[in-house]
Amino acid sequence: MLDATHDPARRSWVESANGHSDFPIQNLPLGLFTPPGGHAPRAGVAIGDAILELEDAPPDGTLNAWLAAGEAPRRALRERLSAELTIGASTRARLHPAADCRMHVPARIGDYTDFYVGIHHATAVGKLFRPDNPLLPNYKHVPIGYHGRASSIIPSGTDFRRPRGQMARNGGPVFGPCEKLDYELELGIWIGPGNEQGAPIPLAEAARHIAGFCLLNDWSARDIQAWEYQPLGPFLGKSFATSISPWIITPEALVPFRIAAPPRPEGDPAPLPYLTDATDQAEGGFDIALEAWLVTPGLTAQGLPPHRIADSNARHMYWTVAQMVAHHSSNGCNLNPGDLFGSGTISGPERDGYASLLEATQGGTQPLRLASGEERRFLEDGDEVILRAQARREGFVTIGFGECRGRVIG
Ligand code: CA
């Protein structure tokens, strides 16, 4: 539902919010931050290049209670913040320069589940292994996912160590540093109120349980993954680190950028009734531009800009976020406030949209060539990947997600 908070004419007294910022007054994402010299994390809203500290301290140092509260309080806070930040409002704000603050993972994440709804990714990866039959037969019937690891989720800007693990080399198992480290460009979905165990969330009610969105980089050790994944799926090839952008972009902020779920190609099966809802098909998709950029030691040393490695869009999701929620809870599994979903890698259909190096380099056989003279098949020590997202629509102010950065160190 569109309201005055989406009005493109609305401007903020925080001047930096009125230019080309990811965080204009129409966005208003919440996050957890520590200002310089601060100790306990505080709740704040991003506005331009600043953070407005909220008056109420988060009760347990996290935003879980806010996620649990659901749509009505979230909408009320948005309206209040929009009014307070509008030009002409008289407020004595506690404003902090964002560049001086440290951002945190905004909630205590009880469970993290990674889906696989990017059909172009699933097809491209499938082709590497099964050229004639890239998609497995269940793909178009069931939103595929696996249970990820919550403890190793880190906020943007946090370095992580190259994983070591067991992999097959020259036919035999070895243990050592991963040599095929990859990234995956994904949307993250924050779960709101959730459900009691044994009481599935019907698809028509699923939207009420989605409290926000972020960017998510599902770092992947392809060599460890390839050796371990059969028959139970990803394990140590994924669980060493997952990076997220720290700001929770609300469903309300994204209202102008909702689109119909992409139509299923002719001949695709209709989903089962519990995954079918006319409203969700009509407005369950998102038009959000998604990009990944690579920064290498060579580019940095030569003063060269980051190299864009993926240009995609959230519209390339085969299943909607509501279908993910309905499916995840359909067996009676309880979802809790602060649970996090990953969408799965969202690749576009063409080469420039391939949102992992596995796809972009065809399994490492076709290296990327960078302006620095470097080549990349997979990530090397010192490489940093930056994910960005922007939602744009004629007649509305563009909003962004902020960055999701992560750098691998040896
Ligand atoms: Ca993934």
Side-chain angles (χ1 to χ4, degrees):
M1 188 167 54
L2 289 168
D3 58 36
T5 64
H6 303 99
D7 181 355
R10 197 168 274 205
R11 292 282 181 276
S12 176
W13 51 264
V14 180
E15 203 44 56
S16 60
N18 302 324
H20 295 282
S21 171
D22 270 3
F23 306 121
I25 194 169
Q26 290 79 7
N27 193 345
L28 303 175
L30 259 62
L32 265 191
F33 74 103
T34 307
H39 298 290
R42 306 174 192 185
V45 59
I47 181 78
D49 57 15
I51 299 172
L52 176 70
E53 184 175 340
L54 301 189
E55 288 144 11
D56 301 325
D60 59 352
T62 74
L63 294 182
N64 287 71
W66 177 80
L67 290 166
E71 182 183 348
R74 196 172 64 225
R75 190 181 289 278
L77 178 62
R78 175 178 171 83
E79 286 170 4
R80 179 166 72 76
L81 289 171
S82 183
E84 284 179 6
L85 284 162
T86 297
I87 286 175
S90 60
T91 179
R92 293 174 58 208
R94 286 189 284 180
L95 208 61
H96 304 271
D100 297 343
C101 299
R102 193 158 63 88
M103 297 303 301
H104 304 277
V105 169
R108 192 180 54 257
I109 302 169
D111 279 295
Y112 158 50
T113 303
D114 198 23
F115 283 85
Y116 198 53
V117 308
I119 189 168
H120 302 304
H121 171 74
T123 305
V125 170
K127 262 187 197 147
L128 290 173
F129 300 103
R130 298 175 300 274
D132 299 330
N133 181 27
L135 277 184
L136 291 168
N138 58 2
Y139 189 86
K140 292 181 173 178
H141 298 281
V142 54
I144 301 288
Y146 71 95
H147 283 285
R149 182 76 190 171
S151 68
S152 51
I153 296 175
I154 49 180
S156 176
T158 309
D159 294 345
F160 65 95
R161 294 216 167 265
R162 176 175 298 272
R164 300 170 70 82
Q166 186 183 141
M167 52 216 135
R169 201 165 290 154
N170 304 323
V174 297
F175 186 93
C178 163
E179 293 185 355
K180 294 186 176 179
L181 184 64
D182 201 355
Y183 81 101
E184 292 188 340
L185 167 57
E186 306 194 12
L187 265 191
I189 296 113
W190 288 103
I191 297 300
N195 58 310
E196 295 291 329
Q197 192 171 2
I201 299 170
L203 179 53
E205 290 174 26
R208 292 202 301 110
H209 300 277
I210 297 163
F213 299 84
C214 63
L215 283 162
L216 185 148
N217 189 337
D218 177 25
W219 303 103
S220 299
R222 299 298 181 198
D223 37 12
I224 299 173
Q225 184 184 358
W227 178 233
E228 74 175 1
Y229 86 103
Q230 288 177 319
L232 290 185
F235 182 29
L236 301 183
K238 300 277 194 174
S239 62
F240 55 93
T242 305
S243 297
I244 60 170
S245 58
W247 294 106
I248 302 176
I249 311 298
T250 64
E252 289 70 41
L254 288 170
V255 165
F257 313 104
R258 297 208 77 123
I259 54 173
R264 295 192 154 209
E266 190 142 355
D268 277 15
L272 290 174
Y274 80 100
L275 290 173
T276 303
D277 179 79
T279 306
D280 185 49
Q281 283 302 295
E283 55 191 48
F286 290 100
D287 182 4
I288 303 171
L290 303 170
E291 294 179 339
W293 298 74
L294 176 65
V295 181
T296 64
L299 289 170
T300 304
Q302 295 179 42
L304 294 166
H307 179 91
R308 189 168 69 183
I309 47 178
D311 179 9
S312 186
N313 192 293
R315 62 172 67 239
H316 300 303
M317 292 163 64
Y318 191 77
W319 299 97
T320 66
V321 289
Q323 285 172 319
M324 291 184 222
V325 167
H327 181 67
H328 200 312
S329 67
S330 63
N331 65 345
C333 171
N334 45 326
L335 304 178
N336 290 304
D339 283 359
L340 184 67
F341 289 1
S343 59
T345 308
I346 306 179
S347 291
E350 309 294 338
R351 189 169 206 90
D352 65 352
Y354 288 169
S356 70
L357 292 176
L358 181 68
E359 295 157 83
T361 70
Q362 295 294 293
T365 60
Q366 298 173 28
L368 303 178
R369 290 174 214 293
L370 309 180
S372 53
E374 295 166 296
E375 284 189 352
R376 284 294 183 275
R377 291 176 162 79
F378 291 98
L379 298 170
E380 299 191 5
D381 290 349
D383 285 356
E384 181 176 45
V385 175
I386 308 170
L387 309 183
R388 295 187 181 131
Q390 279 200 331
R392 311 180 191 104
R393 183 177 155 198
E394 183 78 29
F396 290 88
V397 173
T398 298
I399 67 170
F401 279 48
E403 290 181 339
C404 177
R405 283 177 177 261
R407 188 175 59 165
V408 57
I409 54 178

